[in-house]
Amino acid sequence: MHLYHQLKEFGADRQALDATRVLRVPGSINSKSKTVVSIIDEYDYIYDLREIQKEYLPELKPKEKKKGRPKKVNYVYRERSLYFARIQDITKLCELREYDLRGHREIILFLYRYYLCSFTEDVQKALEDVLELNSMFIYPLKEKEVIRATRSAEKCYLDKNKEYKYKNDTLIELLEITEIEETYMTTIISKMEYKRRHREREKNRYIEKLKLEGKMSKKEELEQIRKKIKSLRAKGFKNKEICIELDLAESTLKRHITYMKKNGLLK
């Protein structure tokens, strides 16, 4: 976001804030436009991260230590990270709905302005970005309507009012975010989606651990047994012979065969 504002006057594209639009591999094909991704401008000089930090990013000053009893910790960084994540989520929601936001234009622009004010701490840039987002809508509001509908967001930010610090469930309800849309969100997610992601992470960790130990997951073991059953049946083995070969109980073999037939794995 900071780099975009720094390079905006040189024609920086707002849509480049979405990493998937920037990190495309040259030679790959854009699924929407069917065009081949190519490098437009290429230079021999390669910047390193320190140069980019020095030229474009704000200077990070160490926090001065104050004397006396330390005050209650204020997680400013964590709060600003939340604002940034919600800005990204709102942008993603607009993309998912292909910028057809009828019924939600005012609330989306209001939230966008509030989060931008809180993250950038620059009310003028926040307003400019809100107007720019509105211009991308298929059915944009008039400029005066946008300013009027979102004015209270700036006022709330300046007053340090916490009235609009909505919880995720409230945002999901206000914006009518579907379960499928939630899967694309970074932070505006329900408890159910949070638990789903947690289960997915734990599952991946478990599979990775098994791989490091040279073991197979239960699913992989079942798949391997079913492949062997299919192979043996193709060779003309009878059920009793397969049970002996694979050391399976006859009832277990029948369950495997029933499952395989039901899912089209065996004729």
Side-chain angles (χ1 to χ4, degrees):
M1 181 67 75
H2 180 81
L3 286 174
Y4 165 71
H5 286 305
Q6 292 294 310
L7 302 174
K8 188 176 179 181
E9 61 180 302
F10 301 107
D13 186 356
R14 172 176 197 79
Q15 294 182 337
L17 293 174
D18 182 0
T20 58
R21 295 181 183 275
V22 183
L23 306 177
R24 292 189 183 276
V25 179
S28 61
I29 298 175
N30 187 317
S31 60
K32 290 185 177 179
S33 62
K34 306 300 180 184
T35 56
V36 178
V37 178
S38 61
I39 299 174
I40 299 175
D41 293 315
E42 189 170 2
Y43 303 92
D44 293 330
Y45 186 78
I46 299 175
Y47 288 88
D48 60 39
L49 292 176
R50 288 298 178 192
E51 286 179 283
I52 296 173
Q53 180 188 29
K54 184 179 178 181
E55 292 294 328
Y56 298 106
L57 297 180
E59 184 180 353
L60 297 176
K61 296 180 180 179
K63 189 176 180 181
E64 295 181 4
K65 291 185 178 180
K66 294 182 179 180
K67 295 181 179 180
R69 186 177 179 181
K71 295 181 180 179
K72 186 179 179 181
V73 177
N74 186 12
Y75 297 97
V76 177
Y77 175 76
R78 186 180 298 175
E79 192 169 340
R80 291 189 75 245
S81 297
L82 176 63
Y83 290 137
F84 179 71
R86 288 190 168 176
I87 289 167
Q88 295 292 86
D89 279 352
I90 288 173
T91 304
K92 176 58 71 176
L93 187 64
C94 292
E95 291 177 2
L96 291 171
R97 296 180 181 179
E98 298 180 337
Y99 294 93
D100 186 353
L101 283 304
R102 284 174 294 182
H104 298 98
R105 290 174 298 181
E106 289 85 354
I107 184 63
I108 281 179
L109 293 172
F110 169 83
L111 291 170
Y112 198 61
R113 187 171 178 179
Y114 177 69
Y115 294 141
L116 280 169
C117 284
S118 301
F119 177 73
T120 65
E121 299 180 348
D122 187 328
V123 294
Q124 183 57 38
K125 281 186 178 179
L127 176 58
E128 290 172 3
D129 284 0
V130 166
L131 291 171
E132 188 175 348
L133 178 63
N134 177 66
S135 69
M136 297 170 69
F137 290 172
I138 294 177
Y139 303 98
L141 297 171
K142 292 180 180 179
E143 185 173 316
K144 288 183 179 179
E145 289 182 280
V146 175
I147 295 172
R148 186 175 63 252
T150 64
R151 186 181 290 117
S152 58
E154 181 181 310
K155 184 178 183 298
C156 185
Y157 159 70
L158 293 173
D159 293 343
K160 303 300 179 184
N161 192 326
K162 297 184 179 182
E163 182 181 353
Y164 296 113
K165 291 192 176 181
Y166 295 123
K167 293 182 179 179
N168 285 341
D169 289 342
T170 305
L171 289 172
I172 290 169
E173 184 178 350
L174 285 171
L175 300 173
E176 296 183 290
I177 299 174
T178 65
E179 290 182 8
I180 294 175
E181 288 173 336
E182 276 188 57
T183 62
Y184 294 91
M185 301 289 105
T186 302
T187 186
I188 305 178
I189 58 174
S190 62
K191 291 179 181 179
M192 188 180 295
E193 174 62 16
Y194 176 83
K195 288 179 181 179
R196 185 194 69 78
R197 293 184 188 187
H198 177 71
R199 288 195 300 269
E200 192 68 26
R201 286 194 297 271
E202 290 300 308
K203 179 183 175 182
N204 291 335
R205 287 196 192 102
Y206 174 68
I207 291 172
E208 192 62 33
K209 181 183 176 183
L210 289 176
K211 285 181 179 179
L212 291 172
E213 294 175 351
K215 299 177 182 178
M216 291 188 293
S217 65
K218 189 66 177 178
K219 183 180 179 181
E220 289 173 326
E221 288 178 357
L222 290 172
E223 287 175 349
Q224 191 158 334
I225 290 171
R226 286 162 186 162
K227 283 181 182 179
K228 289 179 180 179
I229 291 171
K230 186 176 181 179
S231 176
L232 292 172
R233 281 174 66 92
K235 291 176 182 179
F237 277 61
K238 303 295 182 183
N239 283 358
K240 287 186 179 181
E241 295 172 326
I242 294 173
C243 288
I244 295 169
E245 183 72 20
L246 301 179
D247 192 23
L248 294 174
E250 191 171 348
S251 58
T252 303
L253 175 62
K254 286 181 179 179
R255 282 199 301 273
H256 280 303
I257 292 173
T258 301
Y259 175 86
M260 292 165 73
K261 285 181 177 179
K262 186 178 179 180
N263 291 276
L265 303 174
L266 193 66
K267 294 181 179 179

